[in-house]
């Protein structure tokens, strides 16, 4: 890695080092994290203009992201509050632009990409240590953990920022040589237990299902796969027994919240998004406008309730950008999943490339409850992971 950095121009070397420090900057607070991501995204755009480098604009998922952004801007412009919606739609693009910066600049060298994965893994275990200290010193607050942000997002960090490193670790635990596999299995078990202790149900499922899928797609040793599942299930059961109320939160509450009727708060919140969609079915009520316009839309609709967002990406697309936005958004998401999946098919021997598609598939799973698609924290965490998965598409080209 040092040799790779030394071969870069001095100014680029500094930005690459800055990029590698990102997982630790994300441990601080949302403003430094957003500044890190935005600086790298803007630098990439300026660099592309100066170098007259437009080859990356021909990639399909990049085109799809720009088209979706255009729909968001148009939807915002014709909405009831265009100034607010346009500003939200405009600045949102810094997140996919950061993914482009990683895939077509910062992470093009496999040694730097591997270094970033190691940096992510180390930061993930730093977060695990911080949360362990919180449990010992303060304990959980209502079944949730909040350090180091004083906010209910550490489970989001583990699930999203740590997902690329975690899926690789689980795949290695299943398919690597015995000594490395044992170490990876123990480390992945530690972090999945911490995901339970954060109280984040959907984020835990993303990690658990993502890990199991990653274990299947790269050289699976079936005896290890079955053993890993058994050990993780037993460990989670032990947590349920040791921590009162945790089983209720993860089992009973999840079953009760399946959105099949008004008994479920998810039904009431997601239904509110569908009611908003009916107000403007073609282009929606405007990007990021749901939180401000929902109260007026829900008048007389007692079976539904407002929230900052409808808690599902695809319902949010319908509500805020309409059918056109849903089609554009699904196209963007599908193109990202396909790009990473195709790269994995072409380079199945490389564990990073083979498991890369698990990240966008897990983060964009259609029936999951989700955070705000246009929100700051969610996008910082989510697109930092998506950026690494998209950078893994370079591995085939370089190894070829």
């Amino acid at each position: 890695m040092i040799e790779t950095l030394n071969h870069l121009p001095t100014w680029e070397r500094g930005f690459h080092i800055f990029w590698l420090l990102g997982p630790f900057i994300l441990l601080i607070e949302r403003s430094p994290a957003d500044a890190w991501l935005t600086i790298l995204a803007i630098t990439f755009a300026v660099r592309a203009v100066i170098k007259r480098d437009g080859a990356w604009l021909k990639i399909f998922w990049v085109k799809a992201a720009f088209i979706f952004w255009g729909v968001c801007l148009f939807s915002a412009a014709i909405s009831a509050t265009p100034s607010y919606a346009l500003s939200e739609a405009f600045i949102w693009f810094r997140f996919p632009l950061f993914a482009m910066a990683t895939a077509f600049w910062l992470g093009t060298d496999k040694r730097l990409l591997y270094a970033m994965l190691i940096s992510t893994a180390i930061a993930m275990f730093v977060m695990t240590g911080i949360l362990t200290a919180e449990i010992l010193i303060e304990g959980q607050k209502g079944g949730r953990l909040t350090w180091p942000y004083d906010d209910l997002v550490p489970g989001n960090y583990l699930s999203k920022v740590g997902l690329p490193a975690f899926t690789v670790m689980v795949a290695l635990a299943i398919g690597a040589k015995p000594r490395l596999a044992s170490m990876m299995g123990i480390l992945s078990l530690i972090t999945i237990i911490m995901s339970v202790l954060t109280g984040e149900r959907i984020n835990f499922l993303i990690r658990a299902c993502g890990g199991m899928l990653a274990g299947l797609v790269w050289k699976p040793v079936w005896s290890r796969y079955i053993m890993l599942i058994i050990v993780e299930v037993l460990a989670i059961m032990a947590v349920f027994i040791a921590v009162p109320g945790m089983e209720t939160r993860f089992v009973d509450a999840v079953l009760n919240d399946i959105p099949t009727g008004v008994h479920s708060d998810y039904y009431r919140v997601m239904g509110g998004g569908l009611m908003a969609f009916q107000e403007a079915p073609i282009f929606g009520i405007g990007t990021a406008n749901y939180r401000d316009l929902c109260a007026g839309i829900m008048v007389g609709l007692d079976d539904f309730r407002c929230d900052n967002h409808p808690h599902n990406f695809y319902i949010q697309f319908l509500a805020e950008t309409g059918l056109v936005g849903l089609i554009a958004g699904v196209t963007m998401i599908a193109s990202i999943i396909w790009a990473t999946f195709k790269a994995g098919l072409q380079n199945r021997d490389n564990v990073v490339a083979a498991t890369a598609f698990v990240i966008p598939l897990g983060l964009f799973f259609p029936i999951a409850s989700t955070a705000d698609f246009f929100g700051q924290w969610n996008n910082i965490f989510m697109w930092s992971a998506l950026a690494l998965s998209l950078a893994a598409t370079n591995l085939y080209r370089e190894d070829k």
Side-chain angles (χ1 to χ4, degrees):
M1 183 190 74
I2 301 298
E3 181 182 352
T4 304
L5 289 172
N6 287 336
H7 279 88
L8 293 171
T10 303
W11 75 271
E12 287 206 23
R13 190 183 312 151
F15 279 106
H16 279 77
I17 294 172
F18 184 52
W19 173 62
L20 292 171
L21 293 174
F24 302 97
I25 297 173
L26 266 62
L27 287 169
I28 301 172
E29 206 271 339
R30 73 181 70 194
S31 295
D34 203 344
W36 167 77
L37 181 148
T38 304
I39 289 169
L40 291 172
I42 293 174
T43 303
F44 168 69
V46 172
R47 174 184 179 274
V49 171
I50 293 174
K51 288 181 169 287
R52 297 182 180 179
D53 175 18
W56 54 281
L57 294 170
K58 299 176 182 178
I59 305 299
F60 182 70
W61 72 263
V62 174
K63 294 179 182 178
F66 273 100
I67 291 171
F68 176 68
W69 186 39
V71 173
C72 291
L73 290 170
F74 183 78
S75 172
I78 64 174
S79 71
T81 56
S83 59
Y84 169 76
L86 274 171
S87 65
E88 291 294 308
F90 183 79
I91 64 175
W92 169 81
F93 197 68
R94 69 195 187 276
F95 301 113
L97 185 61
F98 169 77
M100 297 168 197
T102 301
F104 304 113
W105 174 38
L106 298 164
T108 54
D109 188 290
K110 68 179 181 181
R111 290 162 293 187
L112 292 177
L113 176 57
Y114 294 157
M116 186 56 159
L117 283 168
I118 292 171
S119 178
T120 301
I122 294 171
M124 180 174 65
F125 283 103
V126 170
M127 172 63 89
T128 301
I130 291 170
L131 295 177
T132 301
E134 181 182 3
I135 292 171
L136 296 174
I137 296 171
E138 291 187 355
Q140 293 177 315
K141 297 95 171 174
R144 306 283 290 276
L145 296 174
T146 64
W147 284 14
Y149 310 109
D150 195 26
D151 196 359
L152 300 173
V153 293
N156 232 351
Y157 181 99
L158 289 176
S159 175
K160 295 182 171 71
V161 178
L163 190 58
F166 178 75
T167 51
V168 169
M169 287 167 55
V170 174
L172 289 172
I174 301 300
K177 293 181 179 180
R179 182 175 297 180
L180 177 60
S182 298
M183 182 174 65
M184 293 295 102
I186 293 170
L187 292 176
S188 61
L189 178 62
I190 292 171
T191 64
I192 200 69
I193 290 174
M194 185 52 67
S195 288
V196 178
L197 292 171
T198 64
E200 291 281 346
R201 295 169 296 190
I202 297 299
N203 284 317
F204 163 73
L205 287 174
I206 289 173
R207 295 193 92 206
C209 295
M212 287 189 288
L213 180 57
L216 287 174
V217 298
W218 185 77
K219 302 179 180 179
V221 177
W222 294 108
S223 58
R224 289 189 200 166
Y225 188 78
I226 294 170
M227 181 61 66
L228 184 68
I229 292 176
I230 292 173
V231 170
E232 289 191 352
V233 169
L234 291 175
I236 293 166
M237 290 176 63
V239 173
F240 288 167
I241 294 171
V243 183
M246 193 60 70
E247 180 182 2
T248 299
R249 177 170 180 80
F250 273 83
V251 181
D252 298 343
V254 169
L255 293 177
N256 291 333
D257 279 339
I258 295 175
T260 56
V262 293
H263 67 279
S264 166
D265 193 50
Y266 285 123
Y267 173 90
R268 300 181 67 219
V269 173
M270 292 178 183
L274 294 175
M275 295 302 104
F277 160 66
Q278 295 179 23
E279 293 288 311
I282 304 302
F283 285 104
I285 61 174
T287 307
N289 269 346
Y290 183 77
R291 68 180 65 201
D292 294 326
L293 301 182
C294 181
I297 296 170
M298 292 300 115
V299 173
L301 300 173
D302 296 334
D303 286 346
F304 308 107
R305 77 169 183 87
C306 292
D307 208 325
N308 290 333
H309 53 88
H311 286 265
N312 178 275
F313 288 154
Y314 303 91
I315 294 176
Q316 188 173 6
F317 291 163
L318 281 172
E320 297 184 349
T321 61
L323 283 170
V324 176
L326 175 67
I327 294 170
V330 169
T331 301
M332 177 186 69
I333 289 168
S335 67
I336 290 173
I337 295 173
W338 173 246
T340 52
F341 182 71
K342 182 181 178 182
L345 286 178
Q346 295 170 335
N347 192 8
R348 296 192 62 81
D349 287 337
N350 187 296
V351 64
V352 178
T355 59
F357 80 97
V358 176
I359 287 85
L361 182 63
L363 297 180
F364 291 128
F365 200 68
I367 63 172
S369 170
T370 62
D372 184 1
F373 187 80
F374 299 103
Q376 184 187 31
W377 254 141
N378 179 61
N379 275 296
I380 294 171
F381 290 159
M382 185 171 71
W383 284 97
S384 66
L386 291 170
L388 287 183
S389 68
L390 286 163
T393 62
N394 295 314
L395 294 172
Y396 172 75
R397 290 195 293 270
E398 183 172 320
D399 292 346
K400 182 75 173 181

